Amino acid sequence: MDRQMQSHFTATLSHSFSMPSLAEGSEPISEVEEINEIKSLREMGDQAMQLQDFTVAIKRYNEALEIDDKNMEVLFARTKAFLDMGDNSMALKDAENSINIEPDNPEAYRLYGLTLCQVNNYRDAVSAFLTALDLDPDNADDLTDHIAEVAEHICHIPKDVLEKLEEMDSYKKLSEIGVHLFQAKRYDFCITILEAAQKFQTNQKGITMRILLTLANAHSACKHNEQAISIYQECLSTAIATHEQIYQTKSLVNIATLYLENRDTHQAIVFYEKLLQLEAELEEEAGSQRELPDFWTKELQCGLRLNLSIAYKTIGQMHHAEHHARKYISLLEQFKLEGRIKSESYHNTGMLNEILGNYDEAMKNYNLYLQSSKRNKDRKGMAQAYGCLGSVYAALRNWKLCITYHEQYISMAKRFKDTKMTVMACEMLADTYLMKEDYEKAIEVYDQMLNAAIRTDYRSRATALCKTGNVYREMKRYQHSLFFYEQAYDLADDMEYYDILKICQYNIACIQQHSTQLKDIEQARQYFESLIPFYETKIKEHHDEDTYCPPDYEKQLTECYDGMQCVLSKLGNKNECLQFAEAYRRRYITKMPGYVGSQIGPHLDSVEHITRIVNQQNANVLYYSLLPSRLLIWVLLPGQGVVRFYSGRAEEDEGMIEQVQTLLKEIKGNADWKNLQTTCENRAIPLSEEKLNLKRHRNMMLAERKSEDHKENKNNNNENTSNKSPCRKLFNLLIAPVEDILMKLDKGNNLVIIPDKDLFHCPFTILQDWSSNYLSTRHHITILPSILMLEKCVNNELNYLKSQDELDFLRSQVRKGGLNKYLTKTILSNTTTPADDAESSLSFMLDLRKVSNPRLVTTQLSLKSELEEKLDHSKENTQLSLEGNRMTSPQSPSQNLPLIPEKSALKAADFLSRVGSPTSLEALLSLHSYSTLTTCTSTGTDITSSSSAVTEFQQISDRERCLAIGNPQLPESAILHGSAWKASCISLPAAKRELSAVGSWLDVSPITGSQATKEAFLKEIQNSTVIHIATFGCWREGYLAFTPNPIRQESGPPQQYSYIVTTSDILACKLNAQLVVLNVGYNSNRTEETIEQGYSLPSAFLAAGAQCVLACSWLTPNIAREKFFYRFYTELQEGCLVTEAMYTGMRFLQSDERYSDIQTWCPFLLIGKNVAINLKQIRHAMLDQKLDQTEKMVEEKSGKEFLNPKTFIPSVPSREENLASVQRILGEILQDHKYHPMVVSDLIDLLDSALKRLHTQDNNRQISLVTDHLLHSKPGLNLLKLLGFHFQAKAEDIMQPYVVYPHWNKDELLIPVYDALRSIMDISEDKDCTQALHDILPAPQEQISLFVDLLAITKHAPEIQLKVSDLSVRPLWQNVKARKVLMNSGFHQIGMILNFNRTPLYRRLMTSVLQFFLAVSAHKSQVLLYRLDVNLLGKPSISKSSQFIEAGKLPSLTPLILPRNQLRMSTPWLSRAERTEEMDEKIKLARSKSDLKEKYHNFVDRAKTWHQITVSAQTEKTEANEELAKYGRPKSTPNKVKVRPGASASLERVPLKKERLMVIPEVDQRRDYAHFVLQQRLSNIDVRHKNDVMKLYLPYIQST
């Protein structure tokens, strides 16, 4: 402001008097004389001012200024004189001149402001006073008084307020002035003054918030929304810091309102949600909702819920909108608010329920809307209610009531002469007629809508034209349709109605694709090229933002893909056509919830990529695309790519899809559906829309039906056209166009068919060629939904083969003892080169004082001959070989297999001639004498390849196994799709019989009944090779039902998540299965239902890692399927391809007269890759696994090793592995908490005591007993054992033992586990969060780090707004289990924003979850629980275990790691002279080893001391009693004690509670167990010591 005023006064301001004019003709005077003269003149002017003689005063001031025109004091005095005299113009000139002379003088600005006030220029006057205030803050009181005077002139401040202003300080005075200016709507003055007030340094937070709030209000009134939002947020931060809830409320309301004005609905919702959080805080402080403070009015509460409902509806999150709409209605009822607002609330809630498909709730709310409108005599509301009810009845297909309500709506709208309402009513009625397929009436009503729309209502006119085109398109009158679409297009283009424009483009393109004109085809292609990305993007946005996606988008996108293929096929562009076909087909997989790496959106795989996938496997590919008017076929052969593209047109009287549907119905037409109701078990889970479909079906049956003469004639005509079987017709349609290529393929080749639409239900295996042979006799046919799934199946097969290769490699190493190859390479790697020899020769020049053994240098020659003799002796080892059962002579040249090849042996001999060389294998392995009678080990190890000895081996079993699971035990009622579901039967007898038979064929015990839980299923399928599932299921929605877990079951019916397995659950698993058999989801009452298009459920298994899935396309009798499975699994016993077994089973059924009908034996199909399975080998592997389990049990009981020797140095679990074990046990404790709630508190007490004892050993003399709660908690005891606790019997009482506390904090786990248990105490209060946390445990450390970062930022930096698309958030939010944890911790999605609900409950819960994840994290610091440190965020650093220090080699030691974790030195100690560098390394190594020895020696001493203290503490009570008995007890009055009956004079009375004395064996047992505990702890220390020593040597071990 100062600079502006300076620039304003750049012009020269001079008066009529000047020094030169006065001095003209006179003599010059001195400077002192000038000063005195100016002073004298000023004093005379001041005296005249006192006498109010302004003329004289101004004259004297002028004379003084003639001498010095820049004298500010004189100039100020003259300005005042002009003001007092009333000469405002001269005063203004003087004030301006003063500012020009001294721009930083506050008095100049003050006088300038006073002068401006006199001329009524209040805006500049305020600016001048504020500038003076900036320059002279010490004079704030005087300046703010001037500002108050100006404000009084502007907004007429009352006198009482002015009096109060005089008593206020400057800061408060400015705030009060600003408030009054705002109230007077003088927003510019208000902003100026309050911005100046903000510059004051003060601690008056209340006034600060008032200033901020008023300033933001002023900016908002001036439409400065961005500045207003920023100031409101500053006010909000201050209010939160000072806990001023009124200012929080006002700030939040205004911020949300401004965001709505800016059309940023997502941010508005964020701040509305913060208002809800504030309401929760207020309610918690008040104790109940009725005790809320006065400022939280009922209007605020109702308005908040209403705005949230509207905002959520705007962004498309309909479930949240409906929730808040219901809350709004309940508030209106609570506050007894009636009238139109309540009617509109019913209307809004009804619309939301109608959008969500909850038609019962919608009808209920619309009826309430109608009743409320009638009570309020709101006729327009009544009319709208009739229209809404009509739309609901239309959705229910109740045409009669629907049309009645709509006609009533139109009648009332016309009566009111409401044009907008009439247009809406006509549109709703016409939509009903279109849905009813009454096209003539639909056209008539749309014409009424068009006529009713006023000329300015262009949107309604464009909509009416477009929908009229829809009617003509349904009538297949395409020219009429195009006419209306083009009119609507032009109107929408002119008015920029982009939504209508896209709909017109879509409809025009769908019509023009059938044209024969190249121009129309090209235009259709252009439209499709723009529409496909548009719809894909829209669907992706709805998916990412978790909002409601209109069903029309999916339908229109499908037609766009079909249309694009049709257009490209006409243009002959086969490659691009294949790309679009695959782009649509892959959506079957990528749109499944939980699919990892799903790429929703436009994505075209190149033909080269598709060809490369086909070339990676050996199957030929038939790719189909079924369009309404065309059939497209691509033939892809490995190594050749696309060899044929066929495009066939449909007949004129019937579309291609209808033709296929007709033929498929003919195949299934002879089935006895009535008999199937008794012969087929109902295994179907009800659909989410089943109730709605039943209502629609009932209403359609009651409605008037159309004549079916045309259909009957059509069917009769079709029957008379040809006598060919439907299988032959399908062959002619689907196979004949490419038969010439298929005939050239080898018989029995693999053929992968990728169908489309209804072809997913086509039994390709039974299509008959021209020789009446089934296609299955020529090809091994499998089905896949897309090339993407073919690629996945190929990768699954490669992963399976890779696992088998790894198993074979491990077995080969075991058969060789795991030593021969390793040691041979090690020795050969140490052979010398000429350079090494030269280097070795320098060893004689070493300084003998710097080597560990100087004598080595002087005794080399004497050792050389001895070493050569040892080498010659090692060459003469006897070698054995097997040839059948005959042993050959070891001297036979052809059978002589030396340990090391001859050439290598010579090099080794040259190497061994040097001093300090590695010892021979015999000496290294301590092998001396072996029996030559043993020729082969039980694992097939050849003696000749096992280092001249029968080496110790380890049996490595194949992990393959079979699984048969199903027949769950469901409760009488369970929650499904939000309502109760009563299964047709609690158990499945046929499924039980089937699983029992399959279990006998697979040699496994089936998992059925109460054991077949969801958790058991998800766990077992990840370890199985062949999986057979027979349970309730739903093909369309991808559901499988299992037994609800009794541990997880809440009171009442089990929830859906507890027993339903979804595709996302399956996708979260990692399978290695070769075959999955699905016998689920069939219902005899839903005969037309078949396996859904896209195979969502089988595809989920394939995407999770399975190689193929066997399923049935439609319903067949139970006995037929059981006979098929019998033959199928019998064929797999000796090993064959799955397709061969399937064909055998189908032929077996066909040969049975009862099931010879084609529809009974043909529907079996194999989805995935054709693989070979040998059940005999899998059963053998399961037997090996059983032997391993038995051996382990025997070894645990006996303590001896029988077959598989253990490692010399047992592996010590790392900290990450221990934390994973802790997570697993804590998950069990979480699950078990509701049954044993005291276990966690008991564990906390024990850990607290353990930590105290580690710091103060005197506490160890206090004994502790295991509580009863812990004794009955298996996970609690397991956790204590993991942490190093032991237990010892209490005298003769073994039911409540003593606690033997750990003597050290092993891996520093005590504190993390203690913190985790404390967090569980808070988490367990919320059952949903408890269950979600249990489901995700154990979590990988990378995921835990992401959780910690997200929760820490949310806790400590609430101002940071996270998004679900952030790199650190996306992996968690896309993971189903992790997302469930976050949602139950208070997070929810608003568009792309990840919002946290900061209610007191969720804040505590989120803090507890953060504490839990910090406790089980191996990398994150506990600091993040208390403050945010950006240096601690991000990915975990590289673990220390992977950071090996680069060290030099130790030739004088040559350490090696041998099998069974043996650490050996191949060069004897002190047998070779070392260099100086190596000596330094050895000294360093020796020191480290010595430090380790000392460290673990202290551990041993501590363990022994600890044990002595603990044992003595536990026996202290007994010893004290013995001492008291010896020396006597103090006499006291005995209490009455109950005794056992039967006492007499000769028989002493025995108290009931007398403790039994232990017998000698019991005492020995207690003593031995005490020694056992000590030895176990010492053994643990020894193992860790050896493990750490090995780590010291690891950097020096040479890689081989």
Side-chain angles (χ1 to χ4, degrees), residues 528-552:
F528 285 136
E529 285 180 343
S530 64
L531 286 169
I532 289 175
F534 170 76
Y535 286 119
E536 289 277 17
T537 304
K538 284 291 184 182
I539 294 173
K540 184 179 185 300
E541 288 176 357
H542 286 295
H543 175 270
D544 293 341
E545 297 180 5
D546 194 22
T547 55
Y548 172 77
C549 182
D552 290 341

Side-chain angles (χ1 to χ4, degrees), residues 55 172 233 272 962 1109 1125 1160 1211 1291 1538:
T55 304
K172 189 174 181 180
Q233 288 180 339
Y272 280 137
C962 299
V1109 178
F1125 289 134
T1160 304
S1211 60
K1538 292 184 177 181

Side-chain angles (χ1 to χ4, degrees), residues 1042-1103:
F1042 291 93
T1043 305
N1045 193 330
I1047 299 178
R1048 297 176 57 176
Q1049 192 168 347
E1050 305 289 340
S1051 58
Q1055 298 296 319
Q1056 181 171 329
Y1057 68 84
S1058 66
Y1059 70 97
I1060 291 293
V1061 174
T1062 63
T1063 53
S1064 58
D1065 294 326
I1066 298 171
L1067 289 171
C1069 300
K1070 294 183 179 179
L1071 306 186
N1072 197 27
Q1074 286 188 287
L1075 172 65
V1076 178
V1077 179
L1078 289 175
N1079 192 12
V1080 300
Y1082 304 107
N1083 187 348
S1084 56
N1085 297 320
R1086 300 204 298 254
T1087 55
E1088 295 183 359
E1089 183 176 341
T1090 57
I1091 188 170
E1092 88 295 352
Q1093 298 178 9
Y1095 305 143
S1096 62
L1097 193 56
S1099 295
F1101 282 99
L1102 296 178

Side-chain angles (χ1 to χ4, degrees), residues 466 489 492 497-508 527 529-535 538 556 560:
C466 185
Y489 181 90
Y497 300 143
Y498 294 112
D499 53 343
I500 300 178
L501 195 68
K502 288 295 181 183
I503 294 174
C504 292
Q505 289 180 353
Y506 155 73
N507 286 288
I508 292 172
Y527 282 158
E529 285 180 343
S530 64
L531 286 169
I532 289 175
F534 170 76
Y535 286 119
K538 284 291 184 182
Q556 291 167 3
C560 286

